[in-house]
Amino acid sequence: MKIVFATNNAHKLDEVRQVVGEEFEIVSLRECGIVEDIPENEPTLEGNALAKARYIYERTGMNCFADDTGLEVDALGGEPGVRSARYATDGHDDEANKRLLLERLQGEEMRSAQFRTAVALIMDGKEYLFEGIVRGEIALEQHGEGGFGYDPLFFPEGGELTFAQMSSEEKNAISHRGRAVRKLAEFLQKIE
Ligand code: IMP
């Protein structure tokens, strides 16, 4: 079965393809002919994920899903949250975002945080939501070269490596998106 995933991010496509397995052909936005940026102006992760999925469904009529992820830092009252991509600037400047996060947490002892992913699926016109959370700690400095976004600053709970120091399989096994997408995959396998 073909399903559009609302991204062109190669890391995310790899992660999701690994989790969902081969029964489903995951098609990127570009592959289904959507080249413009889809607006993400909603105040919640769920709202953004649903808005992106609806945008694709309305234009292509294809079954599709979209995710939105936020890094929710306890000492910052859940910030950057839904604004994680645009924390430091209006662009998606990962380096500036990580710098700002470290700055805001300077001298802060409570470094607990979570990544939270909302996935919205539209299947034959019906809407479904799935959530995945991973708790962890924000590092004092960056560690590792892998992954993307805030990965070099995030130690998932119970481990000594940041997401950026893990292989994509290791990250997938415990990550927010891995968890949300496994829920999606279980759901899809039931209705197949
Ligand atoms: P989005 O879901 O792609 O909109 O993600 C929002 C922001 O969170 C972006 O700045 C990403 O870099 C960051 N982000 C999303 N997923 C991850 C992840 O798995 N690791 C690290 N950062 C992430």
Side-chain angles (χ1 to χ4, degrees):
M1 187 201 294
K2 250 189 196 181
I3 303 190
V4 181
F5 177 26
T7 192
N8 285 320
N9 179 321
H11 286 284
K12 282 195 184 180
L13 280 164
D14 275 356
E15 286 184 5
V16 167
R17 284 180 176 139
Q18 271 178 29
V19 173
V20 170
E22 289 181 358
E23 301 103 279
F24 300 97
E25 187 188 341
I26 305 293
V27 180
S28 71
L29 279 182
R30 214 173 284 125
E31 285 163 332
C32 80
I34 294 182
V35 289
E36 66 276 21
D37 280 341
I38 304 179
E40 295 186 40
N41 300 323
E42 301 299 321
T44 62
L45 299 175
E46 287 77 7
N48 273 336
L50 267 174
K52 282 192 277 187
R54 285 177 186 150
Y55 186 99
I56 296 162
Y57 194 74
E58 278 160 19
R59 277 158 187 79
T60 66
M62 291 171 77
N63 291 330
C64 59
F65 63 94
D67 74 325
D68 199 26
T69 295
L71 177 61
E72 301 174 331
V73 179
D74 296 339
L76 302 177
E79 288 281 298
V82 72
R83 298 190 311 114
S84 293
R86 287 156 285 134
Y87 191 34
T89 68
D90 265 348
H92 290 228
D93 186 339
D94 283 345
E95 288 309 315
N97 287 338
K98 285 181 284 186
R99 263 201 313 275
L100 181 60
L101 179 62
L102 286 178
E103 224 173 272
R104 296 262 159 96
L105 286 178
Q106 212 162 29
E108 177 60 62
E109 280 179 19
M110 184 171 82
R111 303 186 75 89
S112 54
Q114 64 184 22
F115 271 117
R116 192 165 73 84
T117 294
V119 169
L121 167 72
I122 303 186
M123 193 82 191
D124 302 326
K126 288 207 193 88
E127 298 179 345
Y128 306 88
L129 279 171
F130 306 89
E131 183 186 61
I133 291 177
V134 58
R135 299 278 309 162
E137 300 269 324
I138 304 299
L140 294 170
E141 56 185 25
Q142 299 195 46
H143 302 273
E145 308 289 327
F148 68 102
Y150 297 91
D151 277 348
L153 290 179
F154 189 79
F155 285 110
E157 216 161 56
E160 282 167 20
L161 300 178
T162 66
F163 273 160
Q165 293 172 303
M166 295 181 180
S167 66
S168 65
E169 289 82 3
E170 287 168 326
K171 178 183 169 188
N172 263 338
I174 54 170
S175 81
H176 45 302
R177 194 165 24 260
R179 287 177 176 162
V181 172
R182 270 192 295 279
K183 289 185 190 168
L184 167 77
E186 277 163 26
F187 176 84
L188 291 173
Q189 271 142 15
K190 268 194 239 144
I191 59 168
E192 258 266 279

PDB file of all heavy atoms in Angstrom, residues 130-142:
ATOM      1  N   PHE A 130      -1.651   9.697  16.677  1.00  0.00           N
ATOM      2  CA  PHE A 130      -0.789   8.822  17.462  1.00  0.00           C
ATOM      3  C   PHE A 130       0.266   9.696  18.131  1.00  0.00           C
ATOM      4  O   PHE A 130       0.677  10.713  17.566  1.00  0.00           O
ATOM      5  CB  PHE A 130      -0.101   7.785  16.567  1.00  0.00           C
ATOM      6  CG  PHE A 130      -1.076   6.993  15.740  1.00  0.00           C
ATOM      7  CD1 PHE A 130      -1.461   7.457  14.477  1.00  0.00           C
ATOM      8  CD2 PHE A 130      -1.635   5.823  16.218  1.00  0.00           C
ATOM      9  CE1 PHE A 130      -2.384   6.747  13.712  1.00  0.00           C
ATOM     10  CE2 PHE A 130      -2.557   5.111  15.463  1.00  0.00           C
ATOM     11  CZ  PHE A 130      -2.932   5.573  14.210  1.00  0.00           C
ATOM     12  N   GLU A 131       0.735   9.277  19.315  1.00  0.00           N
ATOM     13  CA  GLU A 131       1.733  10.079  20.033  1.00  0.00           C
ATOM     14  C   GLU A 131       2.903   9.209  20.470  1.00  0.00           C
ATOM     15  O   GLU A 131       2.709   8.038  20.830  1.00  0.00           O
ATOM     16  CB  GLU A 131       1.081  10.688  21.287  1.00  0.00           C
ATOM     17  CG  GLU A 131       2.010  11.603  22.053  1.00  0.00           C
ATOM     18  CD  GLU A 131       1.394  12.079  23.372  1.00  0.00           C
ATOM     19  OE1 GLU A 131       1.083  11.239  24.239  1.00  0.00           O
ATOM     20  OE2 GLU A 131       1.237  13.306  23.524  1.00  0.00           O
ATOM     21  N   GLY A 132       4.098   9.757  20.435  1.00  0.00           N
ATOM     22  CA  GLY A 132       5.280   9.064  20.968  1.00  0.00           C
ATOM     23  C   GLY A 132       6.102  10.036  21.791  1.00  0.00           C
ATOM     24  O   GLY A 132       6.299  11.190  21.388  1.00  0.00           O
ATOM     25  N   ILE A 133       6.560   9.556  22.954  1.00  0.00           N
ATOM     26  CA  ILE A 133       7.345  10.422  23.856  1.00  0.00           C
ATOM     27  C   ILE A 133       8.611   9.692  24.273  1.00  0.00           C
ATOM     28  O   ILE A 133       8.574   8.488  24.545  1.00  0.00           O
ATOM     29  CB  ILE A 133       6.514  10.760  25.129  1.00  0.00           C
ATOM     30  CG1 ILE A 133       5.342  11.686  24.762  1.00  0.00           C
ATOM     31  CG2 ILE A 133       7.383  11.388  26.217  1.00  0.00           C
ATOM     32  CD1 ILE A 133       4.419  12.016  25.921  1.00  0.00           C
ATOM     33  N   VAL A 134       9.728  10.413  24.336  1.00  0.00           N
ATOM     34  CA  VAL A 134      10.923   9.875  25.001  1.00  0.00           C
ATOM     35  C   VAL A 134      11.427  10.941  25.974  1.00  0.00           C
ATOM     36  O   VAL A 134      11.601  12.099  25.614  1.00  0.00           O
ATOM     37  CB  VAL A 134      12.028   9.428  24.005  1.00  0.00           C
ATOM     38  CG1 VAL A 134      12.478  10.555  23.106  1.00  0.00           C
ATOM     39  CG2 VAL A 134      13.229   8.844  24.752  1.00  0.00           C
ATOM     40  N   ARG A 135      11.610  10.490  27.229  1.00  0.00           N
ATOM     41  CA  ARG A 135      12.117  11.403  28.258  1.00  0.00           C
ATOM     42  C   ARG A 135      13.646  11.376  28.242  1.00  0.00           C
ATOM     43  O   ARG A 135      14.256  10.383  27.807  1.00  0.00           O
ATOM     44  CB  ARG A 135      11.631  10.971  29.656  1.00  0.00           C
ATOM     45  CG  ARG A 135      10.137  10.969  29.862  1.00  0.00           C
ATOM     46  CD  ARG A 135       9.570  12.332  30.187  1.00  0.00           C
ATOM     47  NE  ARG A 135      10.253  13.004  31.264  1.00  0.00           N
ATOM     48  CZ  ARG A 135      10.154  14.334  31.493  1.00  0.00           C
ATOM     49  NH1 ARG A 135       9.422  15.108  30.701  1.00  0.00           N
ATOM     50  NH2 ARG A 135      10.792  14.900  32.490  1.00  0.00           N
ATOM     51  N   GLY A 136      14.275  12.426  28.712  1.00  0.00           N
ATOM     52  CA  GLY A 136      15.729  12.459  28.759  1.00  0.00           C
ATOM     53  C   GLY A 136      16.242  13.724  29.407  1.00  0.00           C
ATOM     54  O   GLY A 136      15.511  14.382  30.162  1.00  0.00           O
ATOM     55  N   GLU A 137      17.492  14.040  29.107  1.00  0.00           N
ATOM     56  CA  GLU A 137      18.176  15.189  29.717  1.00  0.00           C
ATOM     57  C   GLU A 137      18.886  15.994  28.632  1.00  0.00           C
ATOM     58  O   GLU A 137      19.405  15.407  27.684  1.00  0.00           O
ATOM     59  CB  GLU A 137      19.297  14.701  30.653  1.00  0.00           C
ATOM     60  CG  GLU A 137      18.865  13.832  31.804  1.00  0.00           C
ATOM     61  CD  GLU A 137      18.557  14.666  33.032  1.00  0.00           C
ATOM     62  OE1 GLU A 137      19.256  15.683  33.240  1.00  0.00           O
ATOM     63  OE2 GLU A 137      17.607  14.308  33.766  1.00  0.00           O
ATOM     64  N   ILE A 138      18.937  17.300  28.821  1.00  0.00           N
ATOM     65  CA  ILE A 138      19.691  18.149  27.888  1.00  0.00           C
ATOM     66  C   ILE A 138      21.157  18.205  28.336  1.00  0.00           C
ATOM     67  O   ILE A 138      21.455  18.542  29.495  1.00  0.00           O
ATOM     68  CB  ILE A 138      19.108  19.575  27.829  1.00  0.00           C
ATOM     69  CG1 ILE A 138      17.627  19.540  27.449  1.00  0.00           C
ATOM     70  CG2 ILE A 138      19.913  20.439  26.858  1.00  0.00           C
ATOM     71  CD1 ILE A 138      17.313  18.933  26.102  1.00  0.00           C
ATOM     72  N   ALA A 139      22.059  17.870  27.424  1.00  0.00           N
ATOM     73  CA  ALA A 139      23.500  17.856  27.710  1.00  0.00           C
ATOM     74  C   ALA A 139      24.013  19.281  27.942  1.00  0.00           C
ATOM     75  O   ALA A 139      23.363  20.269  27.589  1.00  0.00           O
ATOM     76  CB  ALA A 139      24.234  17.227  26.527  1.00  0.00           C
ATOM     77  N   LEU A 140      25.222  19.364  28.515  1.00  0.00           N
ATOM     78  CA  LEU A 140      25.844  20.679  28.733  1.00  0.00           C
ATOM     79  C   LEU A 140      26.506  21.184  27.462  1.00  0.00           C
ATOM     80  O   LEU A 140      26.728  22.374  27.283  1.00  0.00           O
ATOM     81  CB  LEU A 140      26.889  20.579  29.844  1.00  0.00           C
ATOM     82  CG  LEU A 140      26.321  20.256  31.235  1.00  0.00           C
ATOM     83  CD1 LEU A 140      27.444  19.930  32.202  1.00  0.00           C
ATOM     84  CD2 LEU A 140      25.478  21.433  31.754  1.00  0.00           C
ATOM     85  N   GLU A 141      26.857  20.241  26.578  1.00  0.00           N
ATOM     86  CA  GLU A 141      27.444  20.604  25.290  1.00  0.00           C
ATOM     87  C   GLU A 141      27.107  19.504  24.285  1.00  0.00           C
ATOM     88  O   GLU A 141      26.615  18.449  24.678  1.00  0.00           O
ATOM     89  CB  GLU A 141      28.964  20.761  25.422  1.00  0.00           C
ATOM     90  CG  GLU A 141      29.594  19.504  25.973  1.00  0.00           C
ATOM     91  CD  GLU A 141      31.082  19.637  26.240  1.00  0.00           C
ATOM     92  OE1 GLU A 141      31.562  20.752  26.455  1.00  0.00           O
ATOM     93  OE2 GLU A 141      31.737  18.581  26.210  1.00  0.00           O
ATOM     94  N   GLN A 142      27.404  19.766  23.020  1.00  0.00           N
ATOM     95  CA  GLN A 142      27.032  18.795  21.993  1.00  0.00           C
ATOM     96  C   GLN A 142      27.938  17.560  22.023  1.00  0.00           C
ATOM     97  O   GLN A 142      29.136  17.668  22.232  1.00  0.00           O
ATOM     98  CB  GLN A 142      27.133  19.445  20.614  1.00  0.00           C
ATOM     99  CG  GLN A 142      26.214  20.634  20.457  1.00  0.00           C
ATOM    100  CD  GLN A 142      26.048  21.026  19.008  1.00  0.00           C
ATOM    101  OE1 GLN A 142      25.837  20.178  18.142  1.00  0.00           O
ATOM    102  NE2 GLN A 142      26.147  22.310  18.738  1.00  0.00           N
TER     103      GLN A 142
END
